[in-house]
Amino acid sequence: MKSILITGGAGFIGSHTCLLLLEKGYIIFIVDSFINSSDQSIERISTILKKQGINIEGRIYLIKGDLKKKCDIEKVFEMSFTLQKNIECVIHFAGLKSVFDSVRKPINYWENNVNGTINLLKVMEKYNCRNIVFSSSATVYKINTSEPVGENDPCQPVNPYGNTKLAIEKFLNDLYKSQPNSWRIACLRYFNPVGAHESGLLGECPLNRPNNLYPRITRVAIGKIDKIKIFGLDWPTRDGTCIRDYIHVMDIAEGHLLTLDHLLKEKSQFLTLNLGTGKGTSVIELIRKFEKVNNVKIPFSFDKRRIGDSPFVVADNSLAMSILNWTPKKNIDDACRDGWNWQLKNPNGF
Ligand code: NAD
Ligand code: UFG
C-alpha cells in the first residue's frame, strides 16, 4: 500500500479525492490548516467508507498544519517515517482560491500559495520524495473568446490568484529541469469543479461567503441568498452570459487517481493537463438546468460585467483523456442533482 500526502485534504476537491484514495486502498496523510474547511469533512469520509464496509484503520492520518510553516510539513514526513509508511507522492491542493480576495490581499495569496509550495518542495526534497501532483487552474490561460483552450495555449492570468498558480507551475518546471531523471510532476489545470459526492455526506463547504456561481445557486435554492446576480448579458456568447466548463468534482477526483497511477509507473516527467469536460454551459443555462433537474426556482437579475471575467473558458481535454485514459463520467445534470442533495442534507454545511 502506497502512502500519499494530501495537502488541503479537508477542502472541497481534496476531501473527494481522499475518499477515492481510501477506496482504492492507499494510506493517506492529510495536512490542512482548516483556513477554509473543517475536520468534519474527514469525519464524513470515514462515515461513507464505513457504510461501504471499507476498513480504514491505520490508513488515514489527519494533521493540523500550515504549509507556511516548514516545521509543520516536516512533522508529517517524520511521522510517516516513524510509522514506516514513507510518503511516496504528494497531492498538493492546499491554497487560497478566491479571485476576489486575491486582488485585495495579494501578499496573503503569494505568501500562502507560493511560499507554502516552496516550503513543501524543500521538505519533499529533504525526505527524498520527488513525486507531486499540483492543483493548478484554467485561470492561468490568456482570455480568449470562443475556442477550447489546450495546454500549449498562451498563459496570462489577470489576477493575483492566477499569477500565484502560474508562478508555482513555473517553479515546478524549473525544479524538474534542475534534476532531470529525478522529479515526477503533474500540474492539473481544473476548469470549474461543481457537484458533490452522491451520498450527500460530502460537498463544498467554504467557510467564507462563496463568490463562485455554483455554490451561490445552491444557496439561493436553500433560501440563504435572495437571487443570483448575473454578471453581464452583453458577452459575445449564444445568450450573452459567460460560458464555463463545469466538471463534476468526482470526475476531478478520479483524474487525480489516474494521474497518480500514471506518474508512479512512468519515468521522470513534467506534465501539464487540463481537467475539464470540453463542454461549455452559460450562466443562464446552468441556472435553468439546476431548476429543471431539481424542480426548484432560482431567481436572478442582471448586473454589470465582473472585472477580469472571460466570456468563454472551456477545456480541450484531449491530452488528459489520452495520457490518463480518463473520461469525465458525470454530466451537468448529475452535478446539479448531487450538489442540491448535499445542500439539502446540510443546509448549514457540515
Ligand atoms: P478549498 O478551499 O475547499 O480547499 C483548499 C484547502 O487547503 C482547504 O481545506 C484549506 O483549509 C487548505 N489550506 C489553504 N492554505 C493552506 C495552508 N497554507 N496550509 C495548509 N492548508 C491550507 O478549495 P478547493 O476548491 O478544494 O481547491 C483545491 C485546490 O484546487 C486549490 O489549490 C485551488 O486553488 C485549486 N482550484 C480550485 C478550483 C475551484 O473552482 N474549486 C479551480 C481551479 C483550481
Ligand atoms: N457569475 C455570475 N454571478 C455570480 C457568480 C458568478 O454571473 O454570482 C458568473 C461569472 O461572471 C462567470 C461564471 O458565473 O461568468 C462562473 O464564475 P465563477 O466565479 O463560478 O467561476 P470562474 O470561472 O470565474 O472561476 C473559477 C474559480 C477559479 C478557477 C476558475 C477556473 O473561481 O478559481 O474557475 O476556470 F481558476
Side-chain angles (χ1 to χ4, degrees):
M1 269 189 277
K2 291 189 169 75
S3 298
I4 313 294
L5 169 61
I6 320 294
T7 74
F12 174 41
I13 307 171
S15 58
H16 290 78
T17 306
C18 286
L19 177 67
L20 282 195
L21 287 164
L22 289 164
E23 277 180 6
K24 293 274 184 245
Y26 285 97
I27 298 166
I28 62 170
F29 290 82
I30 298 167
V31 64
D32 202 302
S33 64
F34 304 121
I35 192 168
N36 195 35
S37 58
S38 80
D39 58 2
Q40 287 303 304
S41 59
I42 310 302
E43 291 289 324
R44 295 291 182 87
I45 291 174
S46 306
T47 308
I48 295 169
L49 293 170
K50 205 174 275 170
K51 281 188 181 179
Q52 292 175 7
I54 296 174
N55 181 9
I56 55 169
E57 218 185 298
R59 292 202 293 122
I60 178 164
Y61 300 91
L62 174 62
I63 302 101
K64 183 172 184 209
D66 191 326
L67 301 193
K68 293 198 291 303
K69 295 189 220 144
K70 211 162 124 251
C71 58
D72 283 5
I73 312 168
E74 272 168 345
K75 255 186 243 160
V76 185
F77 275 86
E78 274 305 322
M79 184 178 173
S80 80
F81 266 73
T82 310
L83 292 166
Q84 298 187 327
K85 295 173 177 175
N86 299 4
I87 292 165
E88 265 191 57
C89 183
V90 176
I91 307 184
H92 179 30
F93 293 105
L96 298 176
K97 63 163 182 177
S98 161
V99 170
F100 181 73
D101 288 346
S102 78
V103 176
R104 292 186 307 141
K105 297 177 181 167
I107 295 180
N108 284 10
Y109 272 70
W110 279 86
E111 184 181 38
N112 193 78
N113 293 0
V114 179
N115 287 5
T117 304
I118 293 173
N119 283 339
L120 174 66
L121 272 293
K122 276 185 186 167
V123 178
M124 285 175 65
E125 187 152 55
K126 176 173 165 190
Y127 287 86
N128 216 6
C129 171
R130 290 189 172 80
N131 305 316
I132 181 166
V133 180
F134 168 61
S135 297
S136 190
S137 166
T139 201
V140 298
Y141 289 113
K142 187 173 178 184
I143 288 179
N144 83 19
T145 48
S146 57
E147 292 300 315
V149 277
E151 290 80 354
N152 291 323
D153 283 337
C155 289
Q156 195 180 307
V158 292
N159 54 64
Y161 165 69
N163 286 334
T164 67
K165 289 290 171 189
L166 189 58
I168 295 167
E169 285 197 10
K170 287 181 177 173
F171 161 55
L172 292 173
N173 190 251
D174 284 345
L175 195 64
Y176 168 75
K177 287 189 292 197
S178 71
Q179 298 170 43
N181 310 320
S182 180
W183 287 89
R184 293 184 178 94
I185 299 175
C187 297
L188 301 181
R189 293 177 177 163
Y190 316 148
F191 281 64
N192 291 57
V194 291
H197 188 255
E198 61 184 6
S199 63
L201 288 169
L202 204 55
E204 186 168 10
C205 187
L207 296 187
N208 303 315
R209 189 173 171 270
N211 293 316
N212 296 117
L213 179 62
Y214 187 82
R216 281 196 179 170
I217 291 178
T218 62
R219 275 167 178 72
V220 170
I222 200 92
K224 288 193 181 292
I225 303 180
D226 291 349
K227 61 176 180 183
I228 296 289
K229 283 185 188 164
I230 297 181
F231 301 138
L233 184 59
D234 55 351
W235 295 98
T237 59
R238 51 187 175 254
D239 62 16
T241 67
C242 291
I243 291 179
R244 293 290 182 274
D245 185 336
Y246 297 97
I247 173 164
H248 198 292
V249 63
M250 292 310 295
D251 281 323
I252 294 261
E254 178 92 29
H256 286 77
L257 258 80
L258 294 170
T259 304
L260 197 62
D261 285 350
H262 174 81
L263 276 189
L264 295 181
K265 73 168 192 283
E266 292 290 328
K267 60 183 190 323
S268 160
Q269 59 184 300
F270 181 89
L271 256 184
T272 306
L273 296 174
N274 283 344
L275 290 188
T277 63
K279 296 185 186 78
T281 305
S282 76
V283 176
I284 292 180
E285 285 165 353
L286 183 65
I287 292 174
R288 293 292 183 222
K289 192 55 111 176
F290 193 92
E291 291 183 322
K292 189 163 175 230
V293 169
N294 296 315
N295 197 21
V296 292
K297 197 85 201 111
I298 308 292
F300 60 84
S301 63
F302 294 100
D303 208 337
K304 59 181 189 308
R305 288 183 179 189
R306 187 173 68 176
I307 294 167
D309 253 347
S310 167
F312 185 90
V313 186
V314 174
D316 174 346
N317 60 5
S318 50
L319 194 61
M321 287 176 67
S322 71
I323 289 190
L324 303 178
N325 200 15
W326 167 81
T327 321
K329 294 187 187 116
K330 295 181 185 274
N331 59 27
I332 200 102
D333 290 40
D334 299 318
C336 287
R337 197 186 44 248
D338 293 341
W340 180 227
N341 182 34
W342 151 255
Q343 184 74 82
L344 262 184
K345 286 184 174 153
N346 307 271
N348 299 313
F350 288 114

